[in-house]
Amino acid sequence: MYTQLLQSQLISEGFFVMEELQPLCDQAEEDGIQLSDFLLKKKKITEGELLKLESKLFDIELLDSIPDEFINPELVQRFSIQFLRQAQCVPLLDDGRLILAIGRARMIEAVEEFSFVLKGAPHVVLAPSKDITRVINNVFGSADMEVSGVLDEAEDEFGNDITAETIEDLLDDSSDAPLIKLVNMIMAQAVRANASDVHIEPFKDSLRVRFRLDGVLYDKHSLPRRLHAAMVSRIKIMGRMNIAEKRLPQDGRISLSLGGRQVDLRVSCLPTSYGERIVLRLLEKNSKVLSIKELGLGSSNIECIKELVTVSHGIILVTGPTGSGKTTSLYAILNYINSPDKNILTIEDPVEYQIEGIGQMQVNKKINLNFADGLRSIVRQDPDVILIGEIRDKETADIAIQSALTGHLVFSTLHTNDAPSAVARLIDMGVEPFLLSSVLRAVIAQRLVRVLCPHCKVPFVPDKAAVTDFGAMAKKLDGKNIFKAGGCDECMNTGYQGRNAIYEVMNVSDEIKGLVVRSADSNQIRKQALADGMKSLKMDGFRKVLEGKTTLAEVKRVTNL
C-alpha cells in the first residue's frame, strides 16, 4: 500500500512520468528493497524531497532538524541501540509531550511498540535519518557508562567468555560477557574523552588504568588485580596478537567504531615484573587534516614555510619528541602543496591520515618492508615530493639525501630537542657534512602546549620571579594581565582544553651551511640561527602566553626551562 501511494504522489507532484517510474519500481522490487530507499540510493530524489512528499501524503508533521532541547537521554535509553537503529526512530520530549521521530512514513507501524514501552501514544513526526542517527549515537556515545557496574559481574567470570570476534561498533556490541563489556567501556570512554593513549598497568595488588589527555596522564580506574590476565588476553585477541606469548614484547592493531567515529588503536604489550603492561595509542581516522593557518604558527613562520615549500628540491625536517604533533604539521604542509601537477608519495609507520591525491605507503615489518626499502621503490615512481615518516638510521638518511640531490623535495621527522640539534643528530648517524649542507633547507622544531579552558581561565599579573626565566621577553608584560589555569566541569578540573603547537623555524642560511660543513656544534648553529631571525620555542610560547592561549608554567614545562 505504501509503495502504491508513494508512486501516485511522485507522479502527481511531477517528479516522474509513469514511463520513467515503472522501470525504477521493477528494479527496486527485483533488488528486494523499498522504492523510497531505491530512489535515494540511485539519487533520483533527495531525502528532503522524499520527506516533504511523505509529510503531505500521510499528513505527518515534518521537522527539518531535531532540536537539542527535544533530546532526553533517559527516554532514548529505554530502548536498545540495535532496535532504534533498525527502526530508524527515536523518542523525544517537548515540554512533557512525547514525540516519536521517524525517518520514513512506513515506520509508523513501530508506533505501537513505542507506545507500549512509553506507556502513552506519542505524537509522530518525520525527521531526516541523519538527525535520528546523530541523536542515537550521541545519547549512547555520551552515556555515563560506569565501570563499577560491570566489575560486579566480571569478578566471578572474568575470563570465561572471551571470544575472537572483531567488534564493528562498540556501541552496537550486545555481548553479555562481563570482561568484554569492561574492555569496551574503557575504550569507549577513551574515545569520548579524546584521549591519545590508554595505559593498563599491573601492580602487586591492583590494576591501574590511566588516560593521556592533552599530553598529561590522569588516573581513570583502579581495578581488581585478578582481572589483569583476562583483560590482556581480550585486548590481544582484538589486536590479533599471540595470547600464548607472555615473555616477549608484542605489537598489534585494532580498528573499531564508536557511533560512527572510526578509530585505529595501536597496541603495545610489554612484559614487566607484575605481568604484561598494555598501552593503546588512539588514532581517529576521520580527523580532518589541518591547514597551515590552523597549526598555530606565527605570521612570520607561516610566510617562511610557504616560501620554503616552493623550492624544487632539498630536505625539510620537523623535529620534536614523540607525540609533539610532527606528523600533523607535515600533513598540513603536504595538503597545502598538494595539486594535480605534483606527484606526492609517502612512506609512513603507520599512515595516520588519508589525503586525497597523495600516494601513501605503510611500513610492514612482517614482510620486511622498512623505510629504506620502501624509499628505494618510491624514487622509481617519478615523485616530485617525498614524505618519509621518520629518519631512523644511516641507510634511510643516505637515501633521503640522494633523493634530494637528484631533484626531489623531501620531508621527514627526527627526534631532537630543538632545530639546531637536528644537524648534529644526522652527522652522528654518519651523514657527510658537505652533503647535508647542500640539501638541508630548513628544520622546524615543535612542542604542544595545553590551551587554557575559556570557561575558567583566571587573569592575573605575574610577579618578577615567575617571568625570570624569560629574560628580555618579560619586559613585554609591563604589568599586563595574563592568564593561569582554573578548573571547571567543562575541562575535567584540569584548567586546560585541547593543545596547540609552538614552533621554531630554522631557515638554513649560507652562514649556517658553512657551520654544517665544519661540523659545528648545535650551540654555534643556534646562535647563528637566532642572529638570522629565528624565534625560539620559548619565544613562540611566550607569544601564546601574551595572547591568553596558554600559561607561563605550561611553556616552561614543554621547553624544559
Side-chain angles (χ1 to χ4, degrees):
M1 179 65 72
Y2 167 80
T3 302
Q4 285 81 11
L5 289 171
L6 181 60
Q7 286 178 18
S8 302
Q9 190 73 3
L10 286 166
I11 293 169
S12 65
E13 292 285 337
F15 282 90
F16 301 97
V17 295
M18 180 56 77
E19 290 76 13
E20 292 176 314
L21 188 58
Q22 192 57 51
L24 296 172
C25 294
D26 295 340
Q27 186 63 53
E29 189 174 354
E30 187 178 323
D31 292 352
I33 63 176
Q34 289 283 348
L35 175 61
S36 56
D37 295 336
F38 182 80
L39 294 176
L40 289 173
K41 181 181 175 183
K42 295 296 183 182
K43 297 182 179 177
K44 300 293 184 181
I45 191 172
T46 67
E47 186 181 32
E49 291 169 336
L50 177 64
L51 290 176
K52 285 178 182 176
L53 281 173
E54 291 186 332
S55 174
K56 188 183 294 186
L57 182 61
F58 297 99
D59 194 24
I60 302 175
E61 183 185 345
L62 173 62
L63 290 180
D64 292 329
S65 62
I66 296 175
D68 289 343
E69 57 268 24
F70 283 17
I71 302 170
N72 185 297
E74 291 182 7
L75 188 66
V76 177
Q77 288 169 27
R78 290 167 73 176
F79 303 87
S80 73
I81 187 172
Q82 295 93 339
F83 173 73
L84 294 175
R85 281 181 171 173
Q86 187 175 1
Q88 268 298 288
C89 303
V90 66
L92 306 168
L93 205 59
D94 177 23
D95 288 334
R97 183 177 67 144
L98 283 173
I99 296 174
L100 180 65
I102 61 177
R104 298 288 178 272
R106 66 174 185 274
M107 304 298 183
I108 203 162
E109 60 194 32
V111 172
E112 286 187 18
E113 296 177 58
F114 280 91
S115 299
F116 177 76
V117 175
L118 298 172
K119 297 179 180 176
H123 172 66
V124 179
V125 298
L126 283 165
S129 56
K130 66 177 182 181
D131 261 42
I132 292 172
T133 302
R134 173 181 62 83
V135 172
I136 295 169
N137 287 342
N138 284 352
V139 168
F140 284 89
S142 63
D144 185 16
M145 293 194 262
E146 291 291 340
V147 171
S148 59
V150 181
L151 285 179
D152 295 336
E153 304 174 54
E155 292 199 6
D156 292 331
E157 42 181 330
F158 57 84
N160 300 333
D161 293 311
I162 294 175
T163 65
E165 295 176 337
T166 300
I167 298 176
E168 293 183 358
D169 190 326
L170 290 182
L171 299 183
D172 209 16
D173 186 20
S174 56
S175 172
D176 291 327
L179 208 288
I180 293 176
K181 286 164 67 178
L182 177 61
V183 172
N184 289 357
M185 283 183 181
I186 290 171
M187 290 183 179
Q189 285 177 338
V191 174
R192 288 199 308 273
N194 292 318
S196 60
D197 302 86
V198 177
H199 292 240
I200 299 172
E201 305 161 326
F203 294 99
K204 184 178 179 181
D205 300 313
S206 66
L207 178 63
R208 183 171 67 176
V209 178
R210 295 192 289 171
F211 289 178
R212 187 176 292 279
L213 303 171
D214 296 332
V216 179
L217 277 170
Y218 295 92
D219 284 338
K220 187 66 177 176
H221 303 292
S222 182
L223 308 177
R225 176 70 174 79
R226 57 182 170 273
L227 295 180
H228 172 252
M231 281 187 71
V232 170
S233 295
R234 173 61 185 162
I235 292 169
K236 281 185 172 181
I237 287 170
M238 294 175 74
R240 293 178 171 81
M241 299 154 73
N242 183 359
I243 62 170
E245 181 55 74
K246 302 179 186 296
R247 301 165 299 171
L248 294 173
Q250 293 187 65
D251 294 318
R253 178 163 298 167
I254 301 170
S255 291
L256 55 84
S257 167
L258 181 77
R261 292 173 67 179
Q262 303 298 315
V263 182
D264 263 349
L265 281 76
R266 279 187 279 170
V267 187
S268 174
C269 182
L270 186 77
T272 68
S273 55
Y274 289 112
E276 292 174 286
R277 190 179 189 278
I278 297 279
V279 174
L280 306 171
R281 165 64 60 89
L282 280 70
L283 303 168
E284 192 155 351
K285 292 180 182 177
N286 296 339
S287 295
K288 81 178 186 77
V289 177
L290 299 179
S291 68
I292 289 181
K293 289 183 179 178
E294 291 174 314
L295 291 176
L297 288 156
S299 55
S300 60
N301 283 339
I302 288 177
E303 293 308 313
C304 183
I305 288 175
K306 284 182 177 180
E307 188 176 333
L308 281 168
V309 297
T310 60
V311 299
S312 60
H313 62 281
I315 294 179
I316 297 173
L317 296 174
V318 180
T319 75
T322 302
S324 60
K326 299 186 296 293
T327 304
T328 301
S329 295
L330 280 174
Y331 275 133
I333 294 171
L334 286 188
N335 207 32
Y336 175 73
I337 64 175
N338 188 15
S339 62
D341 64 328
K342 284 189 176 67
N343 182 20
I344 303 175
L345 298 175
T346 77
I347 177 164
E348 306 165 63
D349 184 22
V351 174
E352 294 186 20
Y353 301 91
Q354 300 286 346
I355 306 180
E356 182 126 9
I358 293 178
Q360 297 170 269
M361 179 165 67
Q362 185 159 307
V363 168
N364 190 335
K365 294 176 184 175
K366 292 181 181 177
I367 58 173
N368 295 319
L369 174 60
N370 56 29
F371 280 113
D373 293 334
L375 196 49
R376 286 192 187 93
S377 299
I378 279 177
V379 295
R380 293 194 287 271
Q381 288 279 314
D382 184 33
D384 297 297
V385 180
I386 300 170
L387 168 65
I388 307 166
E390 184 184 345
I391 294 178
R392 295 178 178 173
D393 50 41
K394 183 180 185 298
E395 187 178 15
T396 307
D398 285 340
I399 300 170
I401 285 174
Q402 289 302 320
S403 300
L405 286 169
T406 53
H408 303 100
L409 182 58
V410 179
F411 293 93
S412 191
T413 68
L414 270 181
H415 291 285
T416 63
N417 288 330
D418 57 17
S421 300
V423 173
R425 178 80 181 93
L426 287 170
I427 292 173
D428 188 51
M429 277 185 188
V431 174
E432 292 291 346
F434 73 92
L435 288 176
L436 184 58
S437 70
S438 64
V439 297
L440 189 62
R441 296 287 177 262
V443 183
I444 303 166
Q446 70 178 83
R447 296 286 190 281
L448 292 177
V449 293
R450 290 181 291 172
V451 175
L452 281 163
C453 173
H455 304 283
C456 62
K457 62 183 183 180
V458 181
F460 79 111
V461 177
D463 55 31
K464 289 184 179 179
V467 296
T468 301
D469 293 323
F470 291 89
M473 288 182 289
K475 293 179 182 177
K476 293 183 180 179
L477 286 175
D478 194 24
K480 293 179 184 175
N481 268 351
I482 57 173
F483 294 89
K484 60 183 178 182
C488 64
D489 292 339
E490 294 286 338
C491 59
M492 296 174 60
N493 289 310
T494 63
Y496 298 94
Q497 258 190 346
R499 288 187 291 175
N500 209 325
I502 57 174
Y503 293 88
E504 63 180 24
V505 180
M506 185 182 82
N507 211 335
V508 180
S509 63
D510 290 339
E511 290 77 13
I512 291 176
K513 286 180 181 180
L515 292 171
V516 173
V517 170
R518 297 196 297 274
S519 299
D521 64 39
S522 56
N523 287 331
Q524 290 176 283
I525 295 174
R526 165 168 284 277
K527 188 180 291 185
Q528 182 60 51
L530 290 170
D532 291 340
M534 180 185 82
K535 288 182 171 58
S536 68
L537 286 168
K538 185 166 63 170
M539 292 176 186
D540 201 39
F542 196 72
R543 174 179 65 86
K544 283 188 162 48
V545 171
L546 293 175
E547 291 173 356
K549 292 180 179 176
T550 191
T551 63
L552 292 169
E554 186 66 7
V555 174
K556 288 180 183 179
R557 180 180 72 85
V558 302
T559 55
N560 298 316
L561 293 175

